[in-house]
PDB file of all heavy atoms in Angstrom:
ATOM      1  N   VAL Z   1       0.822  -1.190   0.013  1.00  0.00           N
ATOM      2  CA  VAL Z   1      -0.004   0.003  -0.025  1.00  0.00           C
ATOM      3  C   VAL Z   1       0.877   1.233   0.010  1.00  0.00           C
ATOM      4  O   VAL Z   1       2.088   1.188   0.235  1.00  0.00           O
ATOM      5  CB  VAL Z   1      -0.970   0.024   1.238  1.00  0.00           C
ATOM      6  CG1 VAL Z   1      -1.946  -1.109   1.161  1.00  0.00           C
ATOM      7  CG2 VAL Z   1      -0.134  -0.050   2.504  1.00  0.00           C
ATOM      8  N   ARG Z   2       0.280   2.406  -0.257  1.00  0.00           N
ATOM      9  CA  ARG Z   2       0.999   3.666  -0.257  1.00  0.00           C
ATOM     10  C   ARG Z   2       0.245   4.713   0.610  1.00  0.00           C
ATOM     11  O   ARG Z   2      -0.970   4.736   0.654  1.00  0.00           O
ATOM     12  CB  ARG Z   2       1.118   4.203  -1.667  1.00  0.00           C
ATOM     13  CG  ARG Z   2       2.115   3.422  -2.544  1.00  0.00           C
ATOM     14  CD  ARG Z   2       2.273   4.048  -3.922  1.00  0.00           C
ATOM     15  NE  ARG Z   2       3.224   3.343  -4.742  1.00  0.00           N
ATOM     16  CZ  ARG Z   2       4.542   3.623  -4.788  1.00  0.00           C
ATOM     17  NH1 ARG Z   2       5.030   4.630  -4.106  1.00  0.00           N
ATOM     18  NH2 ARG Z   2       5.365   2.949  -5.608  1.00  0.00           N
ATOM     19  N   GLY Z   3       1.092   5.508   1.236  1.00  0.00           N
ATOM     20  CA  GLY Z   3       0.579   6.639   2.030  1.00  0.00           C
ATOM     21  C   GLY Z   3       1.501   7.809   1.825  1.00  0.00           C
ATOM     22  O   GLY Z   3       2.644   7.798   2.232  1.00  0.00           O
ATOM     23  N   GLY Z   4       1.029   8.769   1.046  1.00  0.00           N
ATOM     24  CA  GLY Z   4       1.899   9.911   0.716  1.00  0.00           C
ATOM     25  C   GLY Z   4       3.029   9.398  -0.210  1.00  0.00           C
ATOM     26  O   GLY Z   4       2.787   8.679  -1.153  1.00  0.00           O
ATOM     27  N   ASP Z   5       4.255   9.737   0.180  1.00  0.00           N
ATOM     28  CA  ASP Z   5       5.454   9.288  -0.612  1.00  0.00           C
ATOM     29  C   ASP Z   5       5.988   7.997  -0.101  1.00  0.00           C
ATOM     30  O   ASP Z   5       6.982   7.450  -0.669  1.00  0.00           O
ATOM     31  CB  ASP Z   5       6.527  10.350  -0.507  1.00  0.00           C
ATOM     32  CG  ASP Z   5       6.129  11.642  -1.214  1.00  0.00           C
ATOM     33  OD1 ASP Z   5       5.330  11.600  -2.197  1.00  0.00           O
ATOM     34  OD2 ASP Z   5       6.593  12.724  -0.734  1.00  0.00           O
ATOM     35  N   ASN Z   6       5.366   7.395   0.937  1.00  0.00           N
ATOM     36  CA  ASN Z   6       5.887   6.174   1.507  1.00  0.00           C
ATOM     37  C   ASN Z   6       5.215   4.893   0.945  1.00  0.00           C
ATOM     38  O   ASN Z   6       4.062   4.926   0.575  1.00  0.00           O
ATOM     39  CB  ASN Z   6       5.700   6.225   3.055  1.00  0.00           C
ATOM     40  CG  ASN Z   6       6.574   7.307   3.687  1.00  0.00           C
ATOM     41  OD1 ASN Z   6       7.690   7.528   3.262  1.00  0.00           O
ATOM     42  ND2 ASN Z   6       5.996   7.893   4.692  1.00  0.00           N
ATOM     43  N   VAL Z   7       6.025   3.842   1.019  1.00  0.00           N
ATOM     44  CA  VAL Z   7       5.519   2.536   0.594  1.00  0.00           C
ATOM     45  C   VAL Z   7       5.401   1.676   1.866  1.00  0.00           C
ATOM     46  O   VAL Z   7       6.374   1.550   2.592  1.00  0.00           O
ATOM     47  CB  VAL Z   7       6.446   1.857  -0.454  1.00  0.00           C
ATOM     48  CG1 VAL Z   7       5.978   0.439  -0.779  1.00  0.00           C
ATOM     49  CG2 VAL Z   7       6.538   2.736  -1.706  1.00  0.00           C
ATOM     50  N   TYR Z   8       4.225   1.022   2.019  1.00  0.00           N
ATOM     51  CA  TYR Z   8       3.993   0.176   3.175  1.00  0.00           C
ATOM     52  C   TYR Z   8       3.462  -1.173   2.682  1.00  0.00           C
ATOM     53  O   TYR Z   8       3.218  -1.407   1.527  1.00  0.00           O
ATOM     54  CB  TYR Z   8       2.978   0.795   4.090  1.00  0.00           C
ATOM     55  CG  TYR Z   8       3.261   2.216   4.630  1.00  0.00           C
ATOM     56  CD1 TYR Z   8       2.817   3.319   4.008  1.00  0.00           C
ATOM     57  CD2 TYR Z   8       4.087   2.356   5.752  1.00  0.00           C
ATOM     58  CE1 TYR Z   8       3.088   4.634   4.494  1.00  0.00           C
ATOM     59  CE2 TYR Z   8       4.414   3.625   6.262  1.00  0.00           C
ATOM     60  CZ  TYR Z   8       3.899   4.763   5.637  1.00  0.00           C
ATOM     61  OH  TYR Z   8       4.171   5.987   6.094  1.00  0.00           O
ATOM     62  N   ALA Z   9       3.220  -2.032   3.662  1.00  0.00           N
ATOM     63  CA  ALA Z   9       2.543  -3.286   3.443  1.00  0.00           C
ATOM     64  C   ALA Z   9       1.663  -3.624   4.670  1.00  0.00           C
ATOM     65  O   ALA Z   9       1.906  -3.144   5.760  1.00  0.00           O
ATOM     66  CB  ALA Z   9       3.521  -4.424   3.135  1.00  0.00           C
ATOM     67  N   LEU Z  10       0.693  -4.489   4.437  1.00  0.00           N
ATOM     68  CA  LEU Z  10      -0.254  -4.852   5.507  1.00  0.00           C
ATOM     69  C   LEU Z  10      -0.233  -6.350   5.752  1.00  0.00           C
ATOM     70  O   LEU Z  10      -0.086  -7.153   4.814  1.00  0.00           O
ATOM     71  CB  LEU Z  10      -1.680  -4.457   5.139  1.00  0.00           C
ATOM     72  CG  LEU Z  10      -2.012  -2.972   4.882  1.00  0.00           C
ATOM     73  CD1 LEU Z  10      -3.368  -2.815   4.317  1.00  0.00           C
ATOM     74  CD2 LEU Z  10      -1.785  -2.173   6.214  1.00  0.00           C
ATOM     75  N   SER Z  11      -0.365  -6.723   7.021  1.00  0.00           N
ATOM     76  CA  SER Z  11      -0.589  -8.118   7.414  1.00  0.00           C
ATOM     77  C   SER Z  11      -1.279  -8.037   8.762  1.00  0.00           C
ATOM     78  O   SER Z  11      -1.748  -6.988   9.180  1.00  0.00           O
ATOM     79  CB  SER Z  11       0.724  -8.924   7.512  1.00  0.00           C
ATOM     80  OG  SER Z  11       0.419 -10.317   7.713  1.00  0.00           O
ATOM     81  N   CYS Z  12      -1.391  -9.157   9.402  1.00  0.00           N
ATOM     82  CA  CYS Z  12      -2.148  -9.254  10.702  1.00  0.00           C
ATOM     83  C   CYS Z  12      -1.339  -8.816  11.888  1.00  0.00           C
ATOM     84  O   CYS Z  12      -0.089  -8.886  11.913  1.00  0.00           O
ATOM     85  CB  CYS Z  12      -2.644 -10.680  10.960  1.00  0.00           C
ATOM     86  SG  CYS Z  12      -3.907 -11.202   9.791  1.00  0.00           S
ATOM     87  N   ASN Z  13      -2.060  -8.291  12.912  1.00  0.00           N
ATOM     88  CA  ASN Z  13      -1.444  -8.001  14.216  1.00  0.00           C
ATOM     89  C   ASN Z  13      -0.760  -9.251  14.754  1.00  0.00           C
ATOM     90  O   ASN Z  13       0.374  -9.170  15.241  1.00  0.00           O
ATOM     91  CB  ASN Z  13      -2.499  -7.462  15.154  1.00  0.00           C
ATOM     92  CG  ASN Z  13      -2.004  -7.096  16.511  1.00  0.00           C
ATOM     93  OD1 ASN Z  13      -1.127  -7.771  17.065  1.00  0.00           O
ATOM     94  ND2 ASN Z  13      -2.603  -6.034  17.092  1.00  0.00           N
ATOM     95  N   HIS Z  14      -1.413 -10.377  14.673  1.00  0.00           N
ATOM     96  CA  HIS Z  14      -0.798 -11.602  15.233  1.00  0.00           C
ATOM     97  C   HIS Z  14       0.311 -12.177  14.354  1.00  0.00           C
ATOM     98  O   HIS Z  14       0.958 -13.136  14.764  1.00  0.00           O
ATOM     99  CB  HIS Z  14      -1.844 -12.657  15.552  1.00  0.00           C
ATOM    100  CG  HIS Z  14      -2.499 -13.372  14.382  1.00  0.00           C
ATOM    101  ND1 HIS Z  14      -3.618 -12.889  13.731  1.00  0.00           N
ATOM    102  CD2 HIS Z  14      -2.102 -14.472  13.727  1.00  0.00           C
ATOM    103  CE1 HIS Z  14      -3.936 -13.698  12.744  1.00  0.00           C
ATOM    104  NE2 HIS Z  14      -3.040 -14.693  12.718  1.00  0.00           N
ATOM    105  N   VAL Z  15       0.523 -11.637  13.158  1.00  0.00           N
ATOM    106  CA  VAL Z  15       1.655 -12.032  12.328  1.00  0.00           C
ATOM    107  C   VAL Z  15       2.867 -11.075  12.559  1.00  0.00           C
ATOM    108  O   VAL Z  15       3.984 -11.563  12.705  1.00  0.00           O
ATOM    109  CB  VAL Z  15       1.258 -12.021  10.840  1.00  0.00           C
ATOM    110  CG1 VAL Z  15       2.470 -12.302   9.938  1.00  0.00           C
ATOM    111  CG2 VAL Z  15       0.165 -13.075  10.611  1.00  0.00           C
ATOM    112  N   TRP Z  16       2.646  -9.801  12.466  1.00  0.00           N
ATOM    113  CA  TRP Z  16       3.705  -8.805  12.600  1.00  0.00           C
ATOM    114  C   TRP Z  16       3.720  -8.065  13.931  1.00  0.00           C
ATOM    115  O   TRP Z  16       4.738  -7.628  14.406  1.00  0.00           O
ATOM    116  CB  TRP Z  16       3.556  -7.734  11.529  1.00  0.00           C
ATOM    117  CG  TRP Z  16       3.997  -8.202  10.149  1.00  0.00           C
ATOM    118  CD1 TRP Z  16       4.738  -9.296   9.849  1.00  0.00           C
ATOM    119  CD2 TRP Z  16       3.735  -7.516   8.894  1.00  0.00           C
ATOM    120  NE1 TRP Z  16       4.945  -9.377   8.488  1.00  0.00           N
ATOM    121  CE2 TRP Z  16       4.342  -8.281   7.910  1.00  0.00           C
ATOM    122  CE3 TRP Z  16       3.090  -6.326   8.559  1.00  0.00           C
ATOM    123  CZ2 TRP Z  16       4.298  -7.921   6.541  1.00  0.00           C
ATOM    124  CZ3 TRP Z  16       2.990  -6.003   7.233  1.00  0.00           C
ATOM    125  CH2 TRP Z  16       3.629  -6.754   6.229  1.00  0.00           C
ATOM    126  N   GLY Z  17       2.576  -7.979  14.565  1.00  0.00           N
ATOM    127  CA  GLY Z  17       2.428  -7.080  15.747  1.00  0.00           C
ATOM    128  C   GLY Z  17       2.630  -7.763  17.097  1.00  0.00           C
ATOM    129  O   GLY Z  17       2.414  -7.134  18.119  1.00  0.00           O
ATOM    130  N   ARG Z  18       2.970  -9.029  17.071  1.00  0.00           N
ATOM    131  CA  ARG Z  18       3.177  -9.784  18.308  1.00  0.00           C
ATOM    132  C   ARG Z  18       2.014  -9.616  19.320  1.00  0.00           C
ATOM    133  O   ARG Z  18       2.197  -9.421  20.510  1.00  0.00           O
ATOM    134  CB  ARG Z  18       4.481  -9.363  18.978  1.00  0.00           C
ATOM    135  CG  ARG Z  18       5.724  -9.697  18.078  1.00  0.00           C
ATOM    136  CD  ARG Z  18       7.013  -9.659  18.885  1.00  0.00           C
ATOM    137  NE  ARG Z  18       7.383  -8.338  19.305  1.00  0.00           N
ATOM    138  CZ  ARG Z  18       7.615  -8.007  20.594  1.00  0.00           C
ATOM    139  NH1 ARG Z  18       7.542  -8.914  21.538  1.00  0.00           N
ATOM    140  NH2 ARG Z  18       7.968  -6.785  20.911  1.00  0.00           N
ATOM    141  N   LEU Z  19       0.787  -9.697  18.730  1.00  0.00           N
ATOM    142  CA  LEU Z  19      -0.447  -9.589  19.526  1.00  0.00           C
ATOM    143  C   LEU Z  19      -0.359  -8.388  20.495  1.00  0.00           C
ATOM    144  O   LEU Z  19      -0.460  -8.502  21.710  1.00  0.00           O
ATOM    145  CB  LEU Z  19      -0.668 -10.873  20.328  1.00  0.00           C
ATOM    146  CG  LEU Z  19      -1.207 -11.997  19.480  1.00  0.00           C
ATOM    147  CD1 LEU Z  19      -1.318 -13.316  20.307  1.00  0.00           C
ATOM    148  CD2 LEU Z  19      -2.587 -11.690  18.937  1.00  0.00           C
ATOM    149  N   ASN Z  20      -0.205  -7.200  19.903  1.00  0.00           N
ATOM    150  CA  ASN Z  20      -0.203  -5.856  20.565  1.00  0.00           C
ATOM    151  C   ASN Z  20       1.165  -5.555  21.201  1.00  0.00           C
ATOM    152  O   ASN Z  20       1.330  -4.427  21.628  1.00  0.00           O
ATOM    153  CB  ASN Z  20      -1.271  -5.800  21.718  1.00  0.00           C
ATOM    154  CG  ASN Z  20      -2.661  -5.940  21.153  1.00  0.00           C
ATOM    155  OD1 ASN Z  20      -2.926  -5.828  19.914  1.00  0.00           O
ATOM    156  ND2 ASN Z  20      -3.631  -6.180  22.065  1.00  0.00           N
ATOM    157  N   ALA Z  21       2.099  -6.459  21.258  1.00  0.00           N
ATOM    158  CA  ALA Z  21       3.321  -6.178  21.963  1.00  0.00           C
ATOM    159  C   ALA Z  21       4.407  -5.467  21.132  1.00  0.00           C
ATOM    160  O   ALA Z  21       5.378  -4.864  21.624  1.00  0.00           O
ATOM    161  CB  ALA Z  21       3.972  -7.495  22.465  1.00  0.00           C
ATOM    162  N   ALA Z  22       4.246  -5.447  19.805  1.00  0.00           N
ATOM    163  CA  ALA Z  22       5.280  -4.848  18.942  1.00  0.00           C
ATOM    164  C   ALA Z  22       5.337  -3.334  19.116  1.00  0.00           C
ATOM    165  O   ALA Z  22       4.339  -2.662  19.312  1.00  0.00           O
ATOM    166  CB  ALA Z  22       5.007  -5.195  17.481  1.00  0.00           C
ATOM    167  N   GLN Z  23       6.527  -2.777  18.902  1.00  0.00           N
ATOM    168  CA  GLN Z  23       6.762  -1.328  18.968  1.00  0.00           C
ATOM    169  C   GLN Z  23       7.158  -0.849  17.576  1.00  0.00           C
ATOM    170  O   GLN Z  23       7.718  -1.564  16.788  1.00  0.00           O
ATOM    171  CB  GLN Z  23       7.903  -1.037  19.933  1.00  0.00           C
ATOM    172  CG  GLN Z  23       7.612  -1.506  21.374  1.00  0.00           C
ATOM    173  CD  GLN Z  23       6.393  -0.815  21.985  1.00  0.00           C
ATOM    174  OE1 GLN Z  23       6.286   0.471  21.866  1.00  0.00           O
ATOM    175  NE2 GLN Z  23       5.502  -1.551  22.584  1.00  0.00           N
ATOM    176  N   PRO Z  24       6.860   0.419  17.275  1.00  0.00           N
ATOM    177  CA  PRO Z  24       7.288   0.974  16.012  1.00  0.00           C
ATOM    178  C   PRO Z  24       8.774   0.805  15.788  1.00  0.00           C
ATOM    179  O   PRO Z  24       9.581   0.976  16.711  1.00  0.00           O
ATOM    180  CB  PRO Z  24       6.937   2.451  16.143  1.00  0.00           C
ATOM    181  CG  PRO Z  24       5.795   2.482  17.103  1.00  0.00           C
ATOM    182  CD  PRO Z  24       6.113   1.366  18.097  1.00  0.00           C
ATOM    183  N   GLY Z  25       9.132   0.403  14.569  1.00  0.00           N
ATOM    184  CA  GLY Z  25      10.526   0.198  14.234  1.00  0.00           C
ATOM    185  C   GLY Z  25      11.040  -1.177  14.326  1.00  0.00           C
ATOM    186  O   GLY Z  25      12.110  -1.507  13.844  1.00  0.00           O
ATOM    187  N   GLU Z  26      10.206  -2.104  14.960  1.00  0.00           N
ATOM    188  CA  GLU Z  26      10.682  -3.495  14.969  1.00  0.00           C
ATOM    189  C   GLU Z  26      10.712  -4.059  13.554  1.00  0.00           C
ATOM    190  O   GLU Z  26       9.913  -3.737  12.690  1.00  0.00           O
ATOM    191  CB  GLU Z  26       9.714  -4.336  15.793  1.00  0.00           C
ATOM    192  CG  GLU Z  26       9.779  -4.057  17.310  1.00  0.00           C
ATOM    193  CD  GLU Z  26       8.906  -4.991  18.117  1.00  0.00           C
ATOM    194  OE1 GLU Z  26       8.247  -5.893  17.562  1.00  0.00           O
ATOM    195  OE2 GLU Z  26       8.858  -4.797  19.376  1.00  0.00           O
ATOM    196  N   SER Z  27      11.700  -4.917  13.320  1.00  0.00           N
ATOM    197  CA  SER Z  27      11.971  -5.386  11.975  1.00  0.00           C
ATOM    198  C   SER Z  27      10.954  -6.541  11.569  1.00  0.00           C
ATOM    199  O   SER Z  27      10.573  -7.311  12.428  1.00  0.00           O
ATOM    200  CB  SER Z  27      13.387  -5.900  11.873  1.00  0.00           C
ATOM    201  OG  SER Z  27      14.314  -4.884  11.983  1.00  0.00           O
ATOM    202  N   ILE Z  28      10.732  -6.559  10.264  1.00  0.00           N
ATOM    203  CA  ILE Z  28       9.871  -7.623   9.715  1.00  0.00           C
ATOM    204  C   ILE Z  28      10.741  -8.423   8.737  1.00  0.00           C
ATOM    205  O   ILE Z  28      11.510  -7.913   7.971  1.00  0.00           O
ATOM    206  CB  ILE Z  28       8.663  -7.008   8.949  1.00  0.00           C
ATOM    207  CG1 ILE Z  28       7.854  -6.184   9.902  1.00  0.00           C
ATOM    208  CG2 ILE Z  28       7.791  -8.113   8.290  1.00  0.00           C
ATOM    209  CD1 ILE Z  28       7.283  -6.926  11.039  1.00  0.00           C
ATOM    210  N   LEU Z  29      10.552  -9.772   8.804  1.00  0.00           N
ATOM    211  CA  LEU Z  29      11.384 -10.665   8.036  1.00  0.00           C
ATOM    212  C   LEU Z  29      10.569 -11.350   6.880  1.00  0.00           C
ATOM    213  O   LEU Z  29       9.379 -11.505   6.953  1.00  0.00           O
ATOM    214  CB  LEU Z  29      11.845 -11.790   8.913  1.00  0.00           C
ATOM    215  CG  LEU Z  29      12.684 -11.426  10.169  1.00  0.00           C
ATOM    216  CD1 LEU Z  29      12.966 -12.622  11.035  1.00  0.00           C
ATOM    217  CD2 LEU Z  29      14.005 -10.721   9.738  1.00  0.00           C
TER     218      LEU Z  29
END
C-alpha cells in the first residue's frame, strides 16, 4: 500500500504485531 510518498505493506497484528506487543521500528522478516 501507499501513504503519501511512503511505501507500506499490511498483514495481521498476530503475524507482525506480536499480539499488541510490537513497537514501531521493529523489523519484519
Side-chain angles (χ1 to χ4, degrees):
V1 294
R2 287 183 180 269
D5 295 329
N6 294 323
V7 176
Y8 302 97
L10 299 171
S11 190
C12 292
N13 181 321
H14 72 270
V15 173
W16 285 346
R18 298 197 291 123
L19 284 175
N20 298 345
Q23 300 298 313
E26 289 185 3
S27 293
I28 301 301
L29 303 173

